[in-house]
Amino acid sequence: MARKSAYILALSCLTLCSCVSVKEQVKTPRLSWSVETFDDASDHKQADLKLSPGDFGRVMHAQFDAQGDLHVVYVIKDRMVYAKRGHAPGARQALVKEPLPLTVGEFARDIRVVTGSGLTAVAPGVHGLSYMQRVNDGWAVRLIADKIGQATLWTVTLGAQGNPVIAYANETGGIAFIEPEGAAWQEFRVPMAEEGWRLRCLTAAFDSQKRLHVGFVTSQNDRVKLWHAVRDRAWSVEDPVYKGKRGEVEACSAVFDGDLALSAAVVVAEGANDRLIFISRKGKKWQDEVLADPFIDEQHLALFSYVFDTAGRAHLVFYDAQAKTPVYLFKKPNGAWGKMSIGSAVDTQVRPTIAIDPSGKAWILFQDAARNSLRLARQR
C-alpha cells in the first residue's frame, strides 16, 4: 500500500511538473524591433546651420492619421521640420521631409502635430504659441497668443471645424483655453477651486456632442489629484476623480483615450527614488500602479511619453540612462503590463515620442546625441 501511494505521489509530481513546464512555454510572443536612422546631419548641410550634439530632435511629436501615414514634427537646433512616412509597401523610401516656417524658442518643451480634417502643427515660437496648417503645397502660420510662452504648460485638440483649441496654464496658475472666433481668438477660464495647488499637466478633447473635456493633475507637497472638467453650456468640475499621497511630482502626462476615459502617468520622488505611477480607472474605482521604480540618478523618468491604441490600451516609452536605451511599457489584453528595452545603445537628454499605427504596433522616435541623429524603432 505504501509503495502504491509513493507511486501515485511520484506520478502526481511528474504531472504537476509537466503542467508547469507547459505553462511556462505559453508566453506572449517576443517583440522585436527594427531600428533605423530617421534623420541626420547629411540632410542638413546648410552652411548657416552649425549643429552640436543633441540638436536633433530636442523636441518632437508623432501621430498616425486614419490612412496609416505617420506624421512627425521635430526641432533641429531652433528650426522645425515636418516629415511624413507613407504606409504603403516600400514605405521606407516614401519619407518626405520639409522645413516649417517657424523658429522655435530655445526653452520650448513641447510641440504637436494633429491629424484630422487637415494637418496642423502647433509650437511655441519666439513670439508666442503659433499654429501652422497645411495649405496646398505650403504652410499657413498664425500666432495664437503671445501670452503663451516657451515654458507655459499647454495642450491642443481640434474643434468641430478642424481649428485648434488650446488649453493652457494662465498667469494665475489656473487653466484657460483659447479658441478661434472669426478672425480673432476668444479666451475662457476653467474654474479651479483650490489655491496653493500646482498645475502639473493637462489634456483636452471633444466628445461626439461637441462638449470640451479637460483633464489635469495638480499637486501640493506629496499629494496628487487628478481632475476631469466638462464644458457644455457651463463648466462642470466635480471632486477630483483621484487623490493620493504618493510623493513630490517631478513630471506627468494626462491622456484621454478614444472613449474619453482619463488616465495619467506621474513621476513622483519618494526619498532617493523616482517612481513612475500610472493612474487609471478600473471598474468603479481608481487605482495607481507603480510601473518603474529606479534610482533617480540612474534613469530619467521625466523623459517619457504615452498614448492609447484604438483598443484603449496604454503604451509608454521612457529613456533608461543606465542601459542607454529607450524602454517600452505596454498594457496587455489581460490587464498586466509588459516591459522591454529597444536594445539600441544611445545617448540622449530629451524625451522620446511614441505613436501607435492602425494595426496596434508601436513606433518610437528617440534622439541619439552621440551620432547627432534622430532614430526610429518600429515594432515588427
Side-chain angles (χ1 to χ4, degrees):
M1 182 69 180
R3 183 178 299 175
K4 184 177 180 180
S5 300
Y7 172 77
I8 293 173
L9 179 62
L11 183 61
S12 300
C13 289
L14 179 61
T15 303
L16 178 61
C17 292
S18 299
C19 292
V20 171
S21 177
V22 171
K23 182 179 180 181
E24 288 177 349
Q25 292 175 12
V26 181
K27 294 182 178 179
T28 303
R30 288 184 60 84
L31 302 178
S32 60
W33 298 88
S34 172
V35 181
E36 63 194 65
T37 298
F38 190 82
D39 198 355
D40 61 18
S42 63
D43 293 331
H44 306 273
K45 296 180 178 180
Q46 301 94 325
D48 61 333
L49 191 60
K50 298 178 181 179
L51 298 176
S52 302
D55 282 343
F56 264 91
R58 64 179 179 88
V59 192
M60 53 189 161
H61 183 245
Q63 184 175 342
F64 280 93
D65 62 21
Q67 288 71 44
D69 293 336
L70 178 67
H71 301 266
V72 183
V73 287
Y74 53 99
V75 175
I76 302 176
K77 207 175 184 69
D78 61 352
R79 303 185 182 187
M80 197 168 173
V81 177
Y82 162 75
K84 175 185 175 182
R85 178 159 176 166
H87 67 286
R92 182 164 185 171
Q93 287 74 37
L95 175 64
V96 295
K97 291 178 284 189
E98 58 186 272
L100 292 177
L102 184 70
T103 300
V104 179
E106 179 183 358
F107 301 103
R109 59 182 183 180
D110 203 5
I111 59 177
R112 298 290 178 91
V113 58
V114 186
T115 60
S117 57
L119 183 63
T120 301
V122 183
V126 293
H127 300 296
L129 192 68
S130 301
Y131 82 99
M132 292 151 284
Q133 287 186 312
R134 187 72 167 178
V135 179
N136 298 324
D137 294 329
W139 294 84
V141 185
R142 185 178 179 186
L143 179 67
I144 299 175
D146 55 8
K147 67 180 69 175
I148 304 177
Q150 299 176 37
T152 303
L153 190 64
W154 61 273
T155 188
V156 60
T157 188
L158 293 182
Q161 306 301 321
N163 291 317
V165 176
I166 311 294
Y168 66 97
N170 61 23
E171 65 280 358
T172 64
I175 301 175
F177 74 96
I178 189 168
E179 61 183 354
E181 187 172 301
W185 290 84
Q186 185 72 29
E187 184 183 62
F188 301 88
R189 300 294 176 101
V190 180
M192 292 179 62
E194 294 184 306
E195 295 184 0
W197 287 72
R198 183 178 174 186
L199 182 65
R200 293 294 189 168
C201 59
L202 71 163
T203 185
F206 283 92
D207 62 22
S208 59
Q209 300 175 12
K210 301 181 181 180
R211 297 179 302 180
L212 178 61
H213 295 247
V214 177
F216 55 97
V217 172
T218 59
S219 71
Q220 185 184 66
N221 300 324
D222 61 352
R223 292 180 292 172
V224 181
K225 292 182 180 181
L226 176 64
W227 303 79
H228 186 173
V230 183
R231 184 192 71 164
D232 196 347
R233 289 186 175 85
W235 279 102
S236 171
V237 183
E238 301 178 356
D239 293 337
V241 294
Y242 165 88
K243 53 184 177 181
K245 196 173 183 179
R246 299 297 318 200
E248 181 67 27
V249 174
E250 301 285 342
C252 83
S253 179
V255 174
F256 285 114
D257 68 10
D259 296 324
L260 287 178
L262 178 63
S263 64
V266 183
V267 177
V268 295
E270 296 185 4
N273 290 349
D274 268 9
R275 290 180 176 174
L276 178 59
I277 309 295
F278 188 75
I279 304 170
S280 62
R281 186 170 182 172
K282 186 175 183 180
K284 295 182 179 180
K285 295 184 178 181
W286 286 81
Q287 64 177 5
D288 51 21
E289 307 167 83
V290 178
L291 302 188
D293 186 12
F295 291 104
I296 188 170
D297 59 348
E298 292 181 349
Q299 295 188 7
H300 298 268
L301 279 179
L303 308 180
F304 79 94
S305 62
Y306 86 101
V307 293
F308 281 90
D309 59 26
T310 55
R313 292 191 292 266
H315 302 256
L316 297 90
V317 60
F318 67 91
Y319 178 66
D320 183 336
Q322 185 180 33
K324 292 187 178 298
T325 179
V327 175
Y328 171 52
L329 300 171
F330 57 98
K331 197 82 165 179
K332 299 179 181 179
N334 64 2
W337 285 91
K339 178 181 179 181
M340 66 176 302
S341 297
I342 303 301
S344 178
V346 296
D347 184 21
T348 184
Q349 292 295 321
V350 303
R351 181 179 62 195
T353 188
I354 183 170
I356 307 300
D357 68 19
S359 67
K361 294 182 178 180
W363 295 51
I364 296 172
L365 277 159
F366 55 95
Q367 181 197 72
D368 187 347
R371 298 179 179 89
N372 210 5
S373 65
L374 191 60
R375 309 274 283 171
L376 171 66
R378 296 183 293 116
Q379 184 182 331
R380 290 173 177 170

